[in-house]
Every structure is written in C-alpha cells, then in structure tokens.
Amino acid sequence: MTAPPRVGVGSAFGSCGELLQGITAEHDRDFLVTLPIARGAVAVFEPDPHRHTVTVAPAHKTKSGILARALLARSTVLHGGVLTLLGDLPEGKGLASSTADLVATARAVADAEDREIGAGEIETELRRIEPSDGVMYPGAVAFYHREVRLLAMLGALPPLTIVTGDEGGHVDTVAFNRRKPAFTAAAKREYSALLAELTVAVARRDVRAIGAVATRSAELSTVLRSRPHLDATISAARELGAAGVVVAHSGTTTGILLDETDPALPAKIVAAHRVCAGFATTVTVHRTWRPTPPDWTTPPRRAAEVVIR
C-alpha cells in the first residue's frame, strides 16, 4: 500500500520593525537589523499526487504561491497541492509579514518532501521574489534586505516587551525599497558606527545600549518617512524610563522598548500604551522571540567577527 502524501508544516517569526536600518559607509550596501517577536506565520502544504497546480489560501498571498510553485518545479517527489497560510502578523505595517509568509512556505514545502531547508537556500529563493527581512535566521541578524543576503548573526536579544502604536494605513515594502535615497558620507559613517555599537550591545545583552541605537535609528528614519509623533514619543519614553523607541522603517508602527526584568514593567506597559494611544489607531504589545534548541543551528558570530562591507 502506498503511503499517503506527507502534509508539510512550516513557521517563521516576524520582526517588530527594525532595531537599525541604514547603509554601510563602505560599498553603500543597505542593511537592517531584525527585532524578532513571538508572533509570526504558519504555512501548511497538503500535497495532492493527482494535481500539478498549487492553490493558495488566502488567495491574495500570491508571492507564497510563486515560491511554492518554484520549489515544486524542482521537486522529485511533489507536484501540486494546497498551501494554506495562517498567522497573526498584520500586513503592510512593517512587521515582516511578507517575509514570514515566504519563509514559512519554504519550510512547509520542504517538510512535505521530508527534508530540511536551510536559511541559505531560502535566501536564494526569496532573492528572486522581493527584498526581504532576515527572519529565516534565528535571533537578531544584520541583513542586506535589498540583496537578500546575511551580513551577520548578532544573537538572541534580551527579554523585551515592545508596546507598538500603528499610525494607520499601509506601506508597500517593494515600492518603498525601489527608492534609493541619497545619504551623506557622515550619515553612512554613523550607520556603520551604530551597527558596531548594536552588535556589542546584543552580545552583552545591554538593554539600554540596544534601546539607544534603536532610538537613534528611528530619528534618522524621518529623512525617508515623516513621523510627526516621533519626537513626542521619544520624550515620553524617556520620561517613563523606557529603554528606547523602535520604528518600522518601511511600515506604520512605532514602538516603545521595555526591559522585562524591570520590576516596574506592568506600570510601564500601561504608561507606554497611553503614549502610543495618543497617535495610533491601534496599540499592540509584543514580546521578543526566545530561541531554544534546536533553533540555534549555527552559532552566532561574535561581535569582533562582524565585518561591515
């Protein structure tokens, strides 16, 4: 008796905006640093040996359909089936929903083939589709999002709570990344310095230093996208003793970073919620993703090993 086709399942976490996004001083390469959160996407692929097409649900997840068909075209065991995408990441808000869908899809199709798919192979597949975040790698990573290539693995973040406000509307990430803003040489040097600072801060699990870099990146982001509420939000975050402020550089959210080891955390969450409600249509509380074995398939590179190219 022939065994029934294996149903494949894959998942990926989202990123609450970016801790840092800019351009390197050398070679002008655009990069971002992810802020992994405990929300994401799940994909389920149900193979059908009698079909040579892929049906995607919801139907508007067309990019995931493109990826699934590309993977199946090279598969020796699968031909068609039904791809279902689930998850709790809103679209067009800067939470890496599109990349999370694609990474989950790649993992689901590979799981249906009874194989593992590495982050490098996922990178190659996504490079053909759109600019992407680095959520195919565990922990926070520095990532060349336009090139869809890893810059460096920074490691697991300390436990953080992020109270985010959504200013409303949507941002088309692909259209946003078609723009190539002109940065001054001084700005490029600052971005490279911030990346070096952040790499050390993550390695040391220094919440204050992480928050300081995120806040500065948020301030610099206004050159690309106006955020009239940002200055007031940063001032309010400092008053309540938050670690810093983070933004979705190509999205509609602004978040207040809080240290989960702070004894006053519950009160600060309430205060941060009040601040975000002043400019946002909705307010959401996120928490950083916590890696556990076997998620760490590759040891994070030490801070001294990160080379900015």
Side-chain angles (χ1 to χ4, degrees), residues 6 46 54 86 93 139 153 156 169 176 197 213 220 262 279:
R6 174 189 174 103
E46 303 172 79
V54 176
L86 311 165
K93 302 298 184 181
M153 297 177 70
F176 183 90
E197 291 173 22
V213 171
L220 292 170
D262 188 338
F279 68 82

Side-chain angles (χ1 to χ4, degrees), residues 47-64:
D48 185 339
H50 305 294
R51 298 178 58 180
H52 286 76
T53 59
V54 176
T55 300
V56 182
H60 73 277
K61 303 279 191 179
T62 55
K63 295 172 187 174
S64 291

Side-chain angles (χ1 to χ4, degrees), residues 147-268:
E147 304 172 38
V148 194
R149 297 180 190 278
L150 179 69
L151 169 53
M153 297 177 70
L154 274 62
L157 294 172
L160 299 170
T161 289
I162 312 103
V163 182
T164 61
D166 174 15
E167 65 197 57
H170 296 81
V171 173
D172 184 328
T173 305
V174 174
F176 183 90
N177 278 291
R178 290 195 188 105
R179 300 163 55 194
K180 187 67 174 175
F183 289 101
T184 65
K188 294 173 187 178
R189 288 194 297 271
E190 182 172 10
Y191 279 124
S192 290
L194 287 170
L195 178 55
E197 291 173 22
L198 183 58
T199 301
V200 173
V202 172
R204 293 177 176 172
R205 301 178 71 78
D206 186 335
V207 172
R208 287 290 165 183
I210 292 170
V213 171
T215 302
R216 181 56 183 155
S217 185
E219 291 172 332
L220 292 170
S221 76
T222 58
V223 174
L224 304 178
R225 189 172 182 279
S226 175
R227 299 176 193 271
H229 60 276
L230 184 61
D231 287 345
T233 302
I234 291 173
S235 295
R238 285 173 178 155
E239 283 186 20
L240 67 87
V245 170
V246 63
V247 299
H249 291 71
S250 59
T252 62
T253 57
T254 301
I256 296 176
L257 291 169
L258 301 172
D259 184 348
E260 287 192 11
T261 66
D262 188 338
L265 178 64
K268 289 184 177 180

